[in-house]
Amino acid sequence: MVMADVERTLSIVKPDAVEKGATGAILARFEEAGLEILALKKIRLTEQQARGFYAVHKERPFYDDLVAFMTSGPVVVSVLEGPGAIARNRELMGPTNSEEAPAGTIRGDFGTDIERNAAHGSDAPETARIEIAYFFDAMEIVGVVEALPA
Ligand code: CMP
């Protein structure tokens, strides 16, 4: 069997899941799946920060609602690392729409609908790199500074 490359991905536990006290349960799923938490913080996004993060969706009809939801309460943002971390995280989350997400997935168990869907995860290596840098400085991520040449 060929092992997947070790990757990093950005995870956001969204305001709906934070509000219902599901942060720990969601982070436990990542760890149980072999994803290491390299960095973690709880923050309340400003409107400008949420608009910037979701700028790729700015022409979509749901953009303003999405920004309002993402700023409605604190979120818990983390950097996850492991073999095939991007796809693994997306498997753990399940489909974007919580109404279609099976039980046992994060969005199925903790989300409500397509907007209140409990979690976000990067969709590709390039977006992961951009999204991680959006939230975390290199010095906040375990392993980044250690990997620099002495
Ligand atoms: P996320 O993975 O955070 O990336 C973009 C988000 O936009 C997505 O999860 C959904 O929460 C939201 N989204 C995507 N499509 C729709 C839609 N049709 N209506 C409302 N929200 C949507």
Side-chain angles (χ1 to χ4, degrees), residues 50-110:
R51 286 193 182 281
F53 183 73
Y54 282 119
V56 291
H57 296 304
K58 66 176 188 293
E59 308 301 338
R60 310 287 283 276
F62 59 81
Y63 180 62
D64 285 349
D65 278 353
L66 176 62
V67 168
F69 166 57
M70 290 300 289
T71 56
S72 66
V75 296
V76 174
V77 194
S78 60
V79 178
L80 307 176
E81 183 180 77
I86 295 167
R88 191 78 188 97
N89 181 31
R90 293 174 72 77
E91 265 169 36
L92 293 169
M93 289 191 297
T96 305
N97 188 346
S98 283
E99 289 166 322
E100 292 164 10
T105 65
I106 290 168
R107 285 164 167 164
D109 292 346
F110 303 113

Side-chain angles (χ1 to χ4, degrees), residues 9-150:
T9 190
L10 182 91
S11 164
I12 305 178
V13 179
K14 295 190 180 185
D16 57 332
V18 172
E19 214 225 320
K20 62 174 73 157
T23 304
I26 292 172
L27 295 177
R29 290 187 186 197
F30 298 145
E31 292 194 314
E32 283 156 12
L35 297 175
E36 183 184 345
I37 299 167
L38 297 187
L40 179 69
K41 62 185 169 191
K42 185 176 196 175
I43 50 174
R44 175 97 182 233
L45 293 176
T46 65
E47 181 179 337
Q48 189 183 21
Q49 288 167 339
R51 286 193 182 281
F53 183 73
Y54 282 119
V56 291
H57 296 304
K58 66 176 188 293
E59 308 301 338
R60 310 287 283 276
F62 59 81
Y63 180 62
D64 285 349
D65 278 353
L66 176 62
V67 168
F69 166 57
M70 290 300 289
T71 56
S72 66
V75 296
V76 174
V77 194
S78 60
V79 178
L80 307 176
E81 183 180 77
I86 295 167
R88 191 78 188 97
N89 181 31
R90 293 174 72 77
E91 265 169 36
L92 293 169
M93 289 191 297
T96 305
N97 188 346
S98 283
E99 289 166 322
E100 292 164 10
T105 65
I106 290 168
R107 285 164 167 164
D109 292 346
F110 303 113
T112 306
D113 54 29
I114 197 163
E115 179 177 279
R116 301 174 65 83
N117 67 349
H120 166 84
S122 309
D123 64 3
E126 181 57 14
T127 32
R129 200 184 59 72
I130 293 165
E131 291 182 359
I132 289 168
Y134 195 79
F135 284 106
F136 292 97
D137 293 336
M139 286 182 69
E140 296 178 305
I141 304 171
V142 170
V144 171
V145 172
E146 289 86 338
L148 293 174

